[in-house]
Amino acid sequence: AMGGTGAANGKATTTVPDKAALCDGGTRTTAGSAVRFRLGDPIITVTHDGINYTGYGDFADGWNAAVGNDNNENTAVKIFADWTATYESSHSTSLGSGVGFYDGTNQAGSICVPEGKYITLDLNGFTIDRNLNEPCSDYGGWVIANLGTLTIRDSGTGGTITGGYTGKIVTGSKSGGGIYNAGTLTLSGGTITKNADGKRGGGVYNAGTFTMTGGEICANLAATGEGGYTCGGGVYNAENANFTMTGGEISGNYSCDTTKKDGGGVYNAGTFYVGGTAKITGNFSKATYDYNYKTVSGGETDNVYLPSNAVIACLAGTSALTSGASIGVTTADTPVTGTPVAVTGSNSADYSG
């Protein structure tokens, strides 16, 4: 199976004496010695125990192996090149095919973590690009669909998830431009950027449990010129979903429903906890999207939007908001004298007004 572009061939397995990740070019430094080996210049490596690594010259082969029968809570994937989707037809691209690209209903072209599977993905400073310049005409234009347990980290500099574009309203369509999450998702590093969705969640659509401890969600867009209600340029946290943010930044995202504020940064219809150094600033709603030129302009500051009866809760103790944290909140129900919008949590007295 071919899985996007990348220059390397072949695969091999090696056992190394510690649990550190592979270095570029197959060189590994251990305590007191350097061990040299060749893996046919792998562009993706997989380990199921942190000791034995298999290198692959094809992204799809590696990812399918990662979610295969040997998958367990220790399974980790690291990429060593940019992974760019290839064009299949008009308005459609694919990052690969096989069990690791099946979202439970279709071969969606996106990277998938199936239900019951575990992956720790290290971007390693590289980019995963769904490579969509138009709304995907098929089921979903996400970069990643997570139905299992996925942790995203970046041991390098500049690792990104980009190019997702879900916009066509078709039967069974789901929301989310960059990542669709119906499982357990953790973002500790890397940047989710320049993804778009025609309705909800330009960066991330969360229908499960999402924990953000680091990384960035920036320059994503909800609205692709189809009209109608759109919300959550950076993150859409769905009803009955849980989103906890203790670090990282959500900034520079846009929602383009020109009639109302609806969460340029985060639209929260579920449970939303904030703490630590979380920053949600510089996001806009009521912006104007030009479908022909793919540009966005205007808008009003709108970082976190709470519809009626929705709540944002501050964590307490060692997870409480710290100096430097910054979160702007817009509410559906306008606060008036004597009836402020409550911020819940054991340290809410510090934040309620």
Side-chain angles (χ1 to χ4, degrees), residues 12-14 22 39 42-56 58-68 70-72 74-80 83 118-121:
T13 303
T14 187
L22 288 170
L39 295 178
I43 54 176
I44 183 171
T45 60
V46 178
T47 179
H48 297 293
D49 59 9
I51 298 174
N52 299 295
Y53 294 82
T54 302
Y56 295 84
D58 179 82
F59 285 115
D61 286 348
W63 192 263
N64 284 325
V67 300
D70 292 329
N71 180 274
N72 60 68
N74 299 312
T75 298
V77 173
K78 186 172 184 178
I79 62 174
F80 290 85
W83 185 354
Y118 303 83
I119 295 288
T120 295
L121 170 62

Side-chain angles (χ1 to χ4, degrees), residues 187-191 212-217 245 247-250:
L187 178 67
S188 64
T191 301
M212 184 174 177
T213 61
E216 295 181 66
I217 300 174
M245 183 179 180
E249 184 170 351
I250 299 174

Side-chain angles (χ1 to χ4, degrees), residues 64-101:
N64 284 325
V67 300
N69 293 334
D70 292 329
N71 180 274
N72 60 68
E73 294 182 2
N74 299 312
T75 298
V77 173
K78 186 172 184 178
I79 62 174
F80 290 85
D82 292 334
W83 185 354
T84 303
T86 54
Y87 282 95
E88 289 193 328
S89 61
S90 178
H91 305 310
S92 182
T93 66
S94 177
L95 287 157
S97 62
V99 65
F101 304 86

Side-chain angles (χ1 to χ4, degrees), residues 25-43:
T27 301
R28 148 91 206 214
T29 302
T30 63
S33 65
V35 179
R36 180 78 180 177
F37 52 86
R38 298 294 298 176
L39 295 178
D41 296 325
I43 54 176

